[in-house]
mmCIF file of all heavy atoms in Angstrom:
data_model
loop_
_atom_site.group_PDB
_atom_site.id
_atom_site.type_symbol
_atom_site.label_atom_id
_atom_site.label_comp_id
_atom_site.label_asym_id
_atom_site.label_seq_id
_atom_site.Cartn_x
_atom_site.Cartn_y
_atom_site.Cartn_z
ATOM 1 N N LEU A 12 -1.413 24.496 -13.202
ATOM 2 C CA LEU A 12 -0.246 24.288 -14.057
ATOM 3 C C LEU A 12 -0.323 25.226 -15.261
ATOM 4 O O LEU A 12 -1.381 25.390 -15.867
ATOM 5 C CB LEU A 12 -0.183 22.833 -14.515
ATOM 6 C CG LEU A 12 -0.226 21.779 -13.401
ATOM 7 C CD1 LEU A 12 -0.092 20.383 -13.975
ATOM 8 C CD2 LEU A 12 0.842 22.044 -12.346
ATOM 9 N N ASP A 20 4.128 16.565 -18.579
ATOM 10 C CA ASP A 20 4.039 15.529 -17.543
ATOM 11 C C ASP A 20 2.596 15.039 -17.392
ATOM 12 O O ASP A 20 2.359 13.837 -17.167
ATOM 13 C CB ASP A 20 4.538 16.075 -16.206
ATOM 14 C CG ASP A 20 6.043 16.278 -16.182
ATOM 15 O OD1 ASP A 20 6.742 15.669 -17.014
ATOM 16 O OD2 ASP A 20 6.517 17.060 -15.323
ATOM 17 N N VAL A 44 -5.398 26.664 -21.180
ATOM 18 C CA VAL A 44 -5.032 27.383 -19.960
ATOM 19 C C VAL A 44 -4.912 28.880 -20.220
ATOM 20 O O VAL A 44 -5.282 29.708 -19.384
ATOM 21 C CB VAL A 44 -3.717 26.816 -19.388
ATOM 22 C CG1 VAL A 44 -3.129 27.726 -18.323
ATOM 23 C CG2 VAL A 44 -3.954 25.429 -18.810
ATOM 24 N N TYR A 64 -8.235 18.422 -16.017
ATOM 25 C CA TYR A 64 -8.170 19.338 -17.156
ATOM 26 C C TYR A 64 -9.569 19.823 -17.511
ATOM 27 O O TYR A 64 -10.488 19.019 -17.653
ATOM 28 C CB TYR A 64 -7.528 18.633 -18.365
ATOM 29 C CG TYR A 64 -7.711 19.352 -19.682
ATOM 30 C CD1 TYR A 64 -7.398 20.699 -19.821
ATOM 31 C CD2 TYR A 64 -8.206 18.678 -20.793
ATOM 32 C CE1 TYR A 64 -7.569 21.349 -21.025
ATOM 33 C CE2 TYR A 64 -8.372 19.311 -22.008
ATOM 34 C CZ TYR A 64 -8.061 20.656 -22.122
ATOM 35 O OH TYR A 64 -8.246 21.301 -23.314
ATOM 36 N N CYS A 135 -28.031 15.912 -12.040
ATOM 37 C CA CYS A 135 -27.982 15.353 -13.390
ATOM 38 C C CYS A 135 -29.378 15.067 -13.891
ATOM 39 O O CYS A 135 -30.189 14.477 -13.174
ATOM 40 C CB CYS A 135 -27.157 14.062 -13.378
ATOM 41 S SG CYS A 135 -27.174 13.190 -14.962
ATOM 42 N N ILE A 165 -21.477 25.911 -8.695
ATOM 43 C CA ILE A 165 -20.474 26.167 -7.665
ATOM 44 C C ILE A 165 -20.718 27.462 -6.912
ATOM 45 O O ILE A 165 -20.099 27.696 -5.871
ATOM 46 C CB ILE A 165 -19.054 26.174 -8.275
ATOM 47 C CG1 ILE A 165 -18.955 27.218 -9.391
ATOM 48 C CG2 ILE A 165 -18.703 24.784 -8.788
ATOM 49 C CD1 ILE A 165 -17.560 27.337 -9.975
ATOM 50 N N GLY A 177 -31.250 9.288 5.452
ATOM 51 C CA GLY A 177 -32.084 8.918 6.579
ATOM 52 C C GLY A 177 -33.200 7.953 6.251
ATOM 53 O O GLY A 177 -33.906 7.503 7.149
ATOM 54 N N THR A 229 -14.992 -9.495 -15.203
ATOM 55 C CA THR A 229 -15.213 -10.926 -14.997
ATOM 56 C C THR A 229 -16.454 -11.463 -15.701
ATOM 57 O O THR A 229 -16.555 -12.681 -15.922
ATOM 58 C CB THR A 229 -15.332 -11.248 -13.500
ATOM 59 O OG1 THR A 229 -16.432 -10.501 -12.934
ATOM 60 C CG2 THR A 229 -14.057 -10.864 -12.771
ATOM 61 N N GLN A 251 -39.351 12.223 -18.131
ATOM 62 C CA GLN A 251 -40.535 12.533 -17.335
ATOM 63 C C GLN A 251 -40.274 13.642 -16.303
ATOM 64 O O GLN A 251 -41.118 13.885 -15.436
ATOM 65 C CB GLN A 251 -41.029 11.270 -16.620
ATOM 66 C CG GLN A 251 -41.521 10.181 -17.563
ATOM 67 C CD GLN A 251 -42.707 10.619 -18.392
ATOM 68 O OE1 GLN A 251 -43.625 11.263 -17.883
ATOM 69 N NE2 GLN A 251 -42.700 10.295 -19.678
ATOM 70 N N ILE A 266 -24.585 -6.552 0.737
ATOM 71 C CA ILE A 266 -25.463 -6.026 -0.323
ATOM 72 C C ILE A 266 -24.585 -5.297 -1.331
ATOM 73 O O ILE A 266 -24.072 -4.208 -1.042
ATOM 74 C CB ILE A 266 -26.534 -5.084 0.252
ATOM 75 C CG1 ILE A 266 -27.392 -5.822 1.280
ATOM 76 C CG2 ILE A 266 -27.412 -4.521 -0.873
ATOM 77 C CD1 ILE A 266 -28.404 -4.945 1.983
#
Side-chain angles (χ1 to χ4, degrees):
L12 306 183
D20 289 340
V44 167
Y64 166 51
C135 174
I165 57 176
T229 59
Q251 295 298 318
I266 301 175

